[in-house]
Amino acid sequence: MSNEVIIACDFNSQEKTLEFLQQFKDEKPYVKIGMEVFYGNGPEIVRQIKQQGHQIFLDLKLHDIPNTVYHAMSMLAQLDVDMVNVHAAGTIEMMKAARKALDDHGSKAILLAVTQLTSTTEEAMHEELLISKSMQETVAQYALNAKMAGCDGVVCSPLEVEIVKKVCGKDFQTVTPGIRFATDSKGDQKRVTTPAIAHQLGSDYIVVGRSITKAENPVEAYRLATKQFQTGEE
C-alpha cells in the first residue's frame, strides 16, 4: 500500500487554493484538483501547483465517446499530472482510449476509473440507475473492466477495496474518497470511513477534503490523517 493522503482542494478560486497550500512549510502533500477549481481557473492552476513540488490527482472524471476521451486525455497528458481518471461506466473501449492517449503522449500518470461515486447509495443505484446487481458486485465488475482496459486502478469507497483487490489483484490501485475523522459530519457522502479504517480495509490512497481544508489547523489535520492512515489507529 502507498498509504498516502491526498488533500481534495475543492476551492472556488486559484488564490484560495494557493493560499491554502502555502500553510504547508515542511510537507508537500499530494493534491487533488477537481472540477470546481479546474473549470474556474484552467490548466494554469495545475502548472502552478506542480511548480511548487506537489503531486497532483486531476479529478475530472472523463466520460464521453472514446474518440472524445482520447483527445481530451491527450490534452491532460501534457500537464504532467500524477493521476487522472475516467468513469468506468463509459465502457472498456472508452477506458482503452484514455489509456492510449496517455501512452501516446508519454505520460506516466496513474489512470483510474471511477466505479460508483461515494455519494451513491445502493438504493439509488437500483431505483434511479436501474442497476440490479449489488453495490459490491457492480464495483467488482467495473474494476475488472477497468483492469481489462489497461487502467492502473479505481476510485471506490474503502468499503469496496477488499472485493476490488480480490478480483483485480493486490497491485491494482485503490484510491478512496469518502474519508472523514470519526468526529466529523458525513456531509453529502454515504459510503464513508475514517483514515484508520481505510488502512485496515487496504486502501492504497485516501482522499480527504473538508476534514482537512475546513479544519482550524489544516496542517495538523493533515498530519493526523496521515498518522491514522499509516498506522490504522484512531
Side-chain angles (χ1 to χ4, degrees):
M1 290 193 302
S2 299
N3 283 136
E4 191 147 9
V5 175
I6 302 174
I7 302 177
C9 290
D10 296 324
F11 300 103
N12 60 12
S13 74
Q14 179 169 302
E15 291 73 25
K16 288 181 180 178
T17 304
L18 296 176
E19 182 179 320
F20 171 79
L21 291 175
Q22 285 172 3
Q23 298 175 80
F24 294 86
K25 306 298 183 183
D26 300 319
E27 299 100 339
K28 289 292 183 182
Y30 215 123
V31 174
K32 182 178 82 70
I33 295 299
M35 296 178 186
E36 182 176 11
V37 67
F38 187 83
Y39 291 160
N41 301 277
E44 183 58 30
I45 183 66
V46 173
R47 297 188 183 100
Q48 288 203 30
I49 294 173
K50 284 295 290 186
Q51 287 173 2
Q52 293 180 2
H54 296 275
Q55 290 180 286
I56 295 179
F57 170 19
L58 186 55
D59 179 26
L60 299 182
K61 304 181 182 72
L62 301 187
H63 189 175
D64 212 307
I65 63 173
N67 185 61
T68 298
V69 167
Y70 174 84
H71 290 292
M73 191 63 79
S74 295
M75 295 295 102
L76 301 185
Q78 299 173 48
L79 293 178
D80 192 32
V81 294
D82 303 276
M83 280 184 189
V84 289
N85 60 359
V86 298
H87 265 294
T91 74
I92 291 174
E93 286 306 308
M94 189 207 75
M95 290 186 279
K96 283 182 176 180
R99 174 80 275 162
K100 187 175 188 302
L102 292 175
D103 293 344
D104 285 353
H105 291 82
S107 173
K108 301 300 183 184
I110 294 171
L111 176 59
L112 305 169
V114 178
T115 53
Q116 288 292 327
L117 300 174
T118 51
S119 59
T120 301
T121 63
E122 190 154 336
E123 180 182 34
M125 198 177 71
H126 295 328
E127 296 183 2
E128 298 175 28
L129 304 182
L130 301 183
I131 297 173
S132 60
K133 300 293 186 181
S134 70
M135 180 68 72
Q136 291 270 315
E137 290 175 293
T138 302
V139 169
Q141 184 61 53
Y142 281 21
L144 191 57
N145 291 348
K147 184 176 182 179
M148 292 170 60
C151 293
D152 302 298
V154 293
V155 179
C156 65
S157 164
L159 301 174
E160 287 114 37
V161 167
E162 183 179 6
I163 186 65
V164 168
K165 297 286 188 179
K166 181 178 179 180
V167 300
C168 295
K170 64 180 182 179
D171 293 332
F172 197 65
Q173 300 290 293
T174 51
V175 177
T176 57
I179 304 296
R180 299 282 190 273
F181 291 123
T183 55
D184 291 341
S185 166
K186 291 184 179 180
D188 54 358
Q189 306 278 17
K190 305 299 181 183
R191 303 186 333 276
V192 303
T193 69
T194 65
I197 293 175
H199 168 94
Q200 295 163 21
L201 293 172
S203 297
D204 294 295
Y205 299 83
I206 58 173
V207 179
V208 186
R210 285 163 277 189
S211 291
I212 293 176
T213 59
K214 301 295 184 182
E216 186 173 336
N217 188 327
V219 175
E220 287 304 313
Y222 168 73
R223 290 173 178 164
L224 177 60
T226 299
K227 180 181 178 181
Q228 291 185 357
F229 186 41
Q230 291 179 346
T231 65
E233 299 177 1
E234 299 286 358

